[in-house]
DNA sequence: TATTGTTATACTCTATAACTATA
DNA sequence: TATAGTTATAGAGTATAACAATA
């Protein structure tokens, strides 16, 4: 089988396409996909420690620091001291962050839709399930 | 649906896993996955111009220069002048490159096999087909 | 002792622009 | 004027190690 049909090559390429399309779509919000992923989780949970963010997103804690710094500087999240543990900082979305997160989600969804245009809804569901099973071991 | 079930996030994460596993598997050959991809195509074709490599792999020509430089320095490929066009350099594998490419292919296949362990053969085929259709537009 | 967040560092990957030599 | 390869540069992503504060 030709190298370009290798599943690893295809996945890397499809992922790159999707990241590029999503970054382009999020540009108007001043976000990139990694910052957006942190904002999304924080909006969803209403507040997460950086350790939780690292675990959920599969990132190193030091990367989370930088991403939260970016979102903080943009006024989209705040670090609040945890009442239970003074080592922990709870990252919570600001009002602006919630609004930006919602707009960004719409734009990201559109970029995803366009990138996955060749697939039917059923095929997208299949793809999601297969990818989820591949990544499950590292979650 | 939770953000971590987003198909873009899952694809990015699965792709990252696969690249890491493959890089680890190729380390003993002194290769990384991008250099390996160039070597694979060159071994397959028996000789490709850098422009062809860029097109087939979806890379910028300047990236191909660097990757071919690496493979050249390792003695795995050679740049030969094209008889038809003096601007063009044909990248051909050396004997060592062919041998390294075969060993690397075996190791990369094993890393892929382990990363895709949760999927059946049929599911892997489905995944490949879906990814190929997503990437087709940019080929 | 272990954990949370942080800083520092280095390397890889990605993206662009500009240059040369040839066509 | 356009194309193949190259160089240069900057920014983004990834990977580790070490540290202070706190548990």
């Amino acid at each position: 089988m030709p190298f370009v049909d290798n599943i690893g090559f295809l996945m890397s390429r499809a992922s790159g396409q999707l990241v590029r399309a999503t970054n382009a779509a999020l540009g108007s919000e001043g976000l990139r996909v990694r910052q957006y992923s942190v904002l999304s989780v924080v909006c969803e949970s209403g507040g997460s420690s950086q350790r939780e963010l690292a675990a959920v997103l599969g990132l190193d804690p030091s990367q989370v620091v930088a991403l939260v710094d970016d979102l903080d500087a943009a006024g989209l999240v705040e670090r609040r001291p945890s009442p239970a543990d003074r080592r922990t900082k709870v990252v919570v979305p600001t009002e602006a962050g919630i609004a930006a997160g919602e707009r960004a989600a719409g734009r990201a969804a559109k970029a995803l839709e366009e990138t996955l245009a060749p697939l039917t809804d059923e095929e997208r569901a299949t793809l999601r399930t297969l990818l989820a099973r591949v990544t499950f071991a590292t979650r």
Side-chain angles (χ1 to χ4, degrees), chain A residues 7-63:
Chain A
I7 200 165
F9 173 73
L10 291 171
M11 183 128 64
S12 170
R13 192 146 177 194
S15 174
Q17 273 183 244
L18 199 40
V19 167
R20 269 189 300 278
T22 308
N23 277 337
L26 295 179
S28 58
E29 293 293 334
L31 289 170
R32 294 180 66 81
V33 72
R34 295 168 87 245
Q35 283 77 3
Y36 164 67
S37 71
V38 170
L39 180 59
S40 295
V41 171
V42 163
C43 285
E44 214 168 79
S45 68
S48 305
S49 73
Q50 296 188 184
R51 168 148 188 69
E52 286 167 347
L53 289 169
V56 167
L57 294 172
L59 298 172
D60 187 86
S62 66
Q63 295 183 50

Side-chain angles (χ1 to χ4, degrees), chain A residues 49-100:
Chain A
S49 73
Q50 296 188 184
R51 168 148 188 69
E52 286 167 347
L53 289 169
V56 167
L57 294 172
L59 298 172
D60 187 86
S62 66
Q63 295 183 50
V64 175
V65 171
L67 296 171
V68 171
D69 280 351
D70 291 343
L71 293 170
D72 190 357
L76 304 180
V77 303
E78 285 175 13
R79 286 179 169 102
R80 293 194 187 153
S82 165
D85 184 337
R86 283 194 298 169
R87 290 174 305 183
T88 302
K89 294 175 184 173
V90 181
V91 181
V92 296
T94 63
E95 277 195 32
I98 293 170

